[in-house]
Amino acid sequence: MPRLPPHAPGMVVGLYGGSFNPPHAGHLHVSRLALARLGLDRLWWLVTPGNPLKARSELSPLSERMAAATRLATDPRIVVTDIEARLGFTYSIDTLAWLKAKAASVRFVWIMGADSLASFHRWRRWRAIMEQVPIAVIDRPGWTLKATSAPAALAMAQYRLPEADARLLAGLQPPAWTLIHGPRSPLSSTALRAKAAAASKKG
């Protein structure tokens, strides 16, 4: 059975899942914004085996993504883990249920970008995820309106916390979520892969 990253009772831990294919400065930007605005003690990067909603044809090996993420995450509050692969989980709801069972005294907050909220209604048992853990959505360029008008956002509109109260999120009974604005990074893994592929063809 895989071991959890270091934690302690009462600790507020953000869970930031993704393929990190590749990890980039935008991931670090989201993480630092979440740490500051939510009052997190730690942020765990959950490097996934693969996104069920995306093709895996361009997915780099997990070991490479883990190594790159570890090099990038120089902030001591950020912990990079491949616990989902070790558990054999594909879906976030399964990962979350396991984490909450193993670390019941930890206050978890799910972190996602506004682009993820736009497609959140396609996630397996997305309503159950919202009922399990508070969610912080970090705004991204070009996604603000798409995210806030998405099916999941509209369905859960009554549970949205004002951004000014974001530091209270971890202590709230879910469902509860907030949208956090701030300096936004235009970087994306998709764009970086496309740029690398174009450079490779030219070479």
Side-chain angles (χ1 to χ4, degrees), residues 5 11 13 23 61 108-109 128 131-132 138 140 156:
M11 186 175 281
V13 175
F108 289 113
V109 178
E131 292 169 355
Q132 286 284 320
I138 310 299
R140 291 194 61 190
M156 294 293 179

Side-chain angles (χ1 to χ4, degrees), residues 3-90:
R3 301 181 67 177
L4 283 172
H7 60 282
M11 186 175 281
V12 180
V13 175
L15 301 173
Y16 186 23
S19 301
F20 294 91
N21 184 46
H24 53 72
H27 292 125
L28 202 56
H29 170 76
V30 166
S31 300
R32 287 172 172 160
L33 189 58
L35 282 161
R37 299 289 295 277
L38 299 169
L40 305 177
D41 296 306
R42 294 289 187 276
L43 182 63
W44 297 353
W45 283 8
L46 306 177
V47 182
T48 68
N51 187 330
L53 298 178
K54 296 180 180 179
R56 299 197 179 193
S57 58
E58 297 182 348
L59 191 63
S60 298
L62 179 62
S63 58
E64 293 181 10
R65 291 182 283 125
M66 279 290 295
T70 300
R71 288 193 299 271
L72 180 65
T74 55
D75 190 311
R77 297 169 297 175
I78 299 175
V79 180
V80 179
T81 176
D82 60 353
I83 196 167
E84 282 193 311
R86 294 180 183 276
L87 290 167
F89 291 161
T90 302

Side-chain angles (χ1 to χ4, degrees), residues 131-146:
E131 292 169 355
Q132 286 284 320
V133 65
I135 296 177
V137 181
I138 310 299
D139 196 19
R140 291 194 61 190
W143 287 97
T144 308
L145 294 179
K146 294 177 185 177

